[in-house]
């Protein structure tokens, strides 16, 4: 702890060394957060089994201060998206993300959560959870091993160490707007793309009406 935090940049008299520690607010703030990350307890597919294995005594992610997995999003600050993200599930994932307090992070575990995996371009699978919520760390694999997930935790801790209170989004002025929850209908729709969807639908409708008009004129000429 002392080695991580005590980087003074100031000369400490020899008689006071070991008794006085000088650090920055960023360092002590980040050290406290990185050492007490609480993941949210939920899984989507086979990656969740590997996540459970990472919590067992053989791998033991409690070494990183992560032994408390919370079943409530309001008590968690790390969302581990472990498994295949279907179009039916993404509205619930976005809702859970919005309910998590800041600061919060997202780890995409496995090929399915990162980019769709073997189900990419499938009729019912989202091609990566990062299309809807911001992802901080990607852990490759199908499924990743517990060692790979531990490496992802370490990368997240390094990212937290490099953050500054002056730059992080949860200390900016103004309220942080929640991410619009996708709407599940004939297909998944992102409310942020409503204007684009309407424009595309209008173009297709105009093309369809033009094709019908042409067919009608052709039939009249043939008659």
């Amino acid at each position: 702890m002392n080695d991580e935090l005590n980087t003074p940049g100031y000369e400490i008299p020899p008689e006071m060394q070991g008794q006085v520690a000088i650090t920055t607010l960023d360092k002590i703030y980040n050290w406290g957060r990185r050492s007490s990350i609480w993941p949210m307890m939920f899984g989507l597919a086979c990656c969740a089994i590997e996540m459970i294995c990472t919590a067992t005594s053989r791998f033991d992610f409690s070494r990183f201060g992560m032994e408390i997995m919370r079943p409530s999003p309001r008590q968690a600050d790390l969302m581990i998206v472990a498994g295949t993200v279907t179009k039916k599930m993404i509205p619930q994932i976005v809702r859970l993300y919005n309910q998590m307090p800041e600061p919060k992070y997202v780890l995409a575990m496995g090929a399915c959560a990162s980019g769709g995996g073997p189900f990419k371009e499938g009729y019912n699978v989202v091609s990566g959870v990062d299309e809807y919520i911001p992802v901080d760390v990607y852990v490759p694999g199908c499924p990743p091993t517990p060692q790979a997930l531990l490496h992802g935790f370490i990368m997240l801790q390094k990212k937290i160490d490099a953050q500054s209170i002056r730059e992080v989004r949860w200390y900016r002025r103004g309220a942080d707007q929640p991410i619009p929850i996708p709407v599940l209908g004939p297909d998944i729709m992102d409310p942020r793309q409503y204007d684009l969807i309407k424009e595309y639908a209008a173009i297709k409708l105009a093309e369809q009406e033009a094709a019908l008009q042409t067919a009608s004129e052709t039939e009249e000429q043939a008659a």
Side-chain angles (χ1 to χ4, degrees):
M1 171 180 170
N2 290 336
D3 294 337
E4 293 181 27
L5 296 179
N6 193 14
T7 52
Y10 299 92
E11 184 177 353
I12 299 178
E15 65 273 12
M16 299 187 67
Q17 290 182 3
Q19 303 178 31
V20 174
I22 300 176
T23 187
T24 63
L25 183 59
D26 279 340
K27 276 187 174 292
I28 196 167
Y29 175 70
N30 291 337
W31 175 83
R33 292 189 301 113
R34 76 187 293 278
S35 304
S36 60
I37 296 174
W38 290 357
M40 188 160 58
M41 185 188 296
F42 86 107
L44 300 177
C46 42
C47 284
I49 304 301
E50 301 297 321
M51 180 179 67
I52 294 169
C53 291
T54 312
T56 59
S57 58
R58 180 177 180 181
F59 301 99
D60 189 20
F61 61 35
S62 64
R63 294 175 292 161
F64 301 90
M66 300 183 183
E67 68 271 18
I68 303 179
M69 295 191 73
R70 294 295 188 180
S72 167
R74 293 177 176 85
Q75 297 176 336
D77 51 14
L78 172 61
M79 173 183 281
I80 304 174
V81 184
T84 310
V85 182
T86 63
K87 294 176 180 177
K88 187 176 181 179
M89 191 65 190
I90 190 63
Q92 280 61 251
I93 292 177
V94 174
R95 184 177 290 108
L96 290 172
Y97 178 81
N98 287 334
Q99 292 175 353
M100 293 170 64
E102 294 281 9
K104 56 189 174 184
Y105 303 93
V106 177
L107 185 148
M109 181 181 179
C112 290
S114 300
F119 310 106
K120 185 177 177 63
E121 306 300 339
Y123 74 96
N124 68 326
V125 174
V126 174
S127 297
V129 71
D130 55 359
E131 293 186 359
Y132 295 92
I133 59 176
V135 174
D136 298 282
V137 176
Y138 296 87
V139 178
C142 187
T145 61
Q147 294 93 330
L149 181 56
L150 290 176
H151 180 71
F153 290 155
I154 294 171
M155 293 298 103
L156 177 61
Q157 288 185 326
K158 289 183 177 180
K159 180 172 183 176
I160 294 174
D161 285 336
Q163 291 181 329
S164 173
I165 293 177
R166 292 170 293 182
E167 299 175 0
V168 291
R169 65 176 182 269
W170 50 89
Y171 280 129
R172 294 175 183 170
R173 291 184 177 180
D176 192 14
Q177 297 298 322
I179 297 176
I181 297 175
V183 178
L184 181 62
D187 199 355
I188 192 74
M189 293 187 298
D190 189 341
R192 292 170 292 187
Q193 297 179 348
Y194 274 165
D195 293 337
L196 182 62
I197 293 172
K198 288 179 180 179
E199 181 181 351
Y200 179 80
I203 293 172
K204 288 299 180 181
L205 181 60
E207 291 177 354
Q208 187 178 22
E209 290 177 350
L212 290 174
Q213 181 67 25
T214 303
S216 176
E217 293 176 354
T218 303
E219 289 178 0
E220 291 178 357
Q221 292 176 358

